[in-house]
């Protein structure tokens, strides 16, 4: 289901399967080199199970580093069957069926054909909490952290 939708996309993309033991530095330098050479316009990060946080981190780092505007995130799962052979001959083989979560993150430097699909994010669009679309030329807000409101303590006069 997911793969059919992404195969319909008419541009060249690279797919990276992130595993739990993958070194982020190796993945990021490879993808950065490809994006700098403009060999591709899209990158798909995929991770399953314990590799999901690493896949998200890789996608976020590349998205910030190259100012990528378009993203599609899909969550799914894969079925895994494990067979456990008993050490004693009289026992039966145990079959364990599990569902492992999987994430696919598509990052594209070009606008995607279907911007209404579930999981689509565009940093150019108006955010739901904004009244107007963000404009980089408008007043820049200071980076000061505003302190929460504190109540004044009553002063005791002696």
């Amino acid at each position: 289901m997911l793969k059919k939708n992404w195969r319909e996309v008419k541009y060249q993309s690279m797919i990276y399967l992130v595993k739990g033991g993958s070194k982020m530095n190796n993945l990021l330098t490879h993808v950065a080199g490809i994006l700098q050479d403009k060999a591709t316009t899209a990158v798909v990060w995929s991770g399953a199970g314990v590799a999901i946080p690493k896949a998200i981190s890789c996608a976020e780092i590349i998205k910030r580093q190259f100012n990528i505007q378009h993203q599609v995130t899909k969550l799914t799962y894969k079925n895994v069957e494990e067979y456990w052979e008993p050490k004693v001959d009289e026992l039966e083989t145990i079959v364990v069926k599990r569902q492992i979560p999987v994430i696919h993150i598509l990052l594209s430097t070009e606008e995607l054909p279907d911007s209404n699909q579930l999981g689509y994010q565009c940093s150019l669009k108006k955010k739901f909490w904004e009244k107007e679309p963000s404009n980089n030329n408008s007043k820049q807000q200071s980076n000061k952290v505003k302190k929460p409101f504190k109540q004044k303590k009553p002063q005791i006069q002696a």
Side-chain angles (χ1 to χ4, degrees):
M1 179 177 91
L2 176 69
K3 292 181 182 178
K4 286 181 183 176
N5 292 341
W6 285 20
R7 284 184 187 161
E8 293 173 4
V9 179
K10 302 289 185 199
Y11 50 82
Q12 183 182 8
S13 66
M14 300 289 296
I15 299 173
Y16 290 91
L17 179 60
V18 180
K19 297 183 179 182
S22 298
K23 302 289 183 201
M24 283 182 60
N25 190 30
N26 295 343
L27 294 168
L28 293 171
T29 54
H30 188 261
V31 171
I34 290 173
L35 288 174
Q36 284 175 348
D37 294 341
K38 300 197 185 300
T40 185
T41 59
V43 176
V44 178
W45 295 95
S46 294
V50 297
I52 288 177
K54 194 174 281 192
I56 293 171
S57 296
C58 288
E60 289 296 324
I61 290 169
I62 290 296
K63 188 166 74 169
R64 300 292 187 273
Q65 186 176 359
F66 289 94
N67 196 21
I68 295 176
Q69 304 295 330
H70 306 281
Q71 173 180 341
V72 179
T73 305
K74 300 288 183 181
L75 291 171
T76 184
Y77 63 89
K78 65 179 179 179
N79 293 319
V80 176
E81 288 186 6
E82 294 180 349
Y83 296 92
W84 296 77
E85 296 291 332
K87 293 185 178 181
V88 180
D89 293 335
E90 302 150 2
L91 299 175
E92 294 180 8
T93 302
I94 299 174
V95 179
V96 178
K97 296 178 182 178
R98 298 185 299 148
Q99 292 182 335
I100 298 176
V102 178
I103 191 166
H104 302 284
I105 303 170
L106 169 69
L107 300 176
S108 177
T109 56
E110 296 177 357
E111 189 170 348
L112 299 173
D114 185 14
S115 62
N116 293 327
Q117 64 180 316
L118 290 176
Y120 178 77
Q121 299 175 36
C122 179
S123 60
L124 300 175
K125 286 186 177 180
K126 181 181 92 167
K127 309 294 188 269
F128 71 91
W129 62 85
E130 294 177 336
K131 291 183 180 176
E132 299 175 5
S134 61
N135 206 355
N136 293 339
N137 297 335
S138 65
K139 291 190 273 179
Q140 294 198 1
Q141 297 177 355
S142 66
N143 292 335
K144 282 187 174 180
V145 176
K146 294 184 179 181
K147 296 181 181 176
F149 177 75
K150 292 184 180 179
Q151 293 182 348
K152 293 183 180 181
K153 294 180 183 177
Q155 295 178 351
I156 302 173
Q157 296 180 355

